[in-house]
Amino acid sequence: MDRRSLRRARLLLGTAGLALAAAGPVLIVRGRGGRKEIRTELAAQKITFPHHGLPAGLASHAGHAVDSGPEAHAYARFIQSNVDRATGGRTYAEITAEVHAAGGDDEKLAELRQMAFMGQSLRASLMSAYQAWHLTTLVTGLGTALTGLGVALAVTADAIAPRGSDGA
């Protein structure tokens, strides 16, 4: 490769490296900020697992506050088990169809539909927090990877710098 091509490669690699090395920490800060916001919002809801009555797979959460994505996911599973037990496994949509088939006059079905709606809405909110938790992990990881790649490109650019008797 001639000196001109080396200078171009160095400029390209160096510029890309610096851009990635600058973008990476921004992603890391945004990911960590998002994680903190999720924790703050979940803690503000003051959701705590009951001490007793949890399904076997959730017993380890007894008495713990919900303040992380994995805990939000676990509590969403707890809500789902309660809704399934109360509705016999039927969804809000299925119960709504039953209400309409009954002419809309069945008060017990209407109450069951309301309970299913609230339970499924709460569960959806917690699942959104869980998904956001995963996104913050992804953003932070990408930031770390981009920072490393940027530094590697910048070092590579410096290593292929044309060297002459004048040190340029």
Side-chain angles (χ1 to χ4, degrees):
M1 217 184 236
D2 64 13
R3 287 177 75 78
R4 186 173 178 198
S5 295
L6 282 174
R7 275 194 296 269
R8 284 183 185 160
R10 181 178 183 221
L11 178 63
L12 178 64
L13 287 174
T15 302
L18 289 175
L20 292 175
V26 172
L27 289 173
I28 293 168
V29 168
R30 297 292 295 173
R32 291 177 60 90
R35 172 83 41 110
K36 182 179 177 187
E37 186 174 352
I38 293 166
R39 281 190 179 280
T40 299
E41 290 300 319
L42 286 171
Q45 297 305 311
K46 298 179 179 162
I47 303 168
T48 303
F49 285 93
H51 289 280
H52 306 289
L54 289 170
L58 299 175
S60 65
H61 295 280
H64 293 152
V66 175
D67 65 358
S68 72
E71 289 165 344
H73 183 254
Y75 204 87
R77 289 185 7 233
F78 173 60
I79 290 172
Q80 187 65 53
S81 70
N82 287 336
V83 170
D84 285 348
R85 189 172 47 255
T87 64
R90 296 173 294 181
T91 65
Y92 169 80
E94 291 169 326
I95 296 168
T96 298
E98 291 176 32
V99 168
H100 291 300
D105 294 332
D106 189 325
E107 201 169 302
K108 284 189 176 192
L109 271 178
E111 288 175 13
L112 189 60
R113 177 176 67 169
Q114 170 103 6
M115 191 277 307
F117 177 79
M118 289 189 309
Q120 290 176 352
S121 295
L122 290 170
R123 182 180 178 280
S125 292
L126 290 166
M127 290 303 291
S128 292
Y130 177 62
Q131 292 166 351
W133 187 268
H134 281 297
L135 285 175
T136 63
T137 302
L138 176 65
V139 169
T140 303
L142 285 173
T144 302
L146 290 181
T147 301
L149 179 60
V151 169
L153 288 176
V155 168
T156 301
D158 187 56
I160 65 169
R163 307 282 184 222
S165 59
D166 61 3

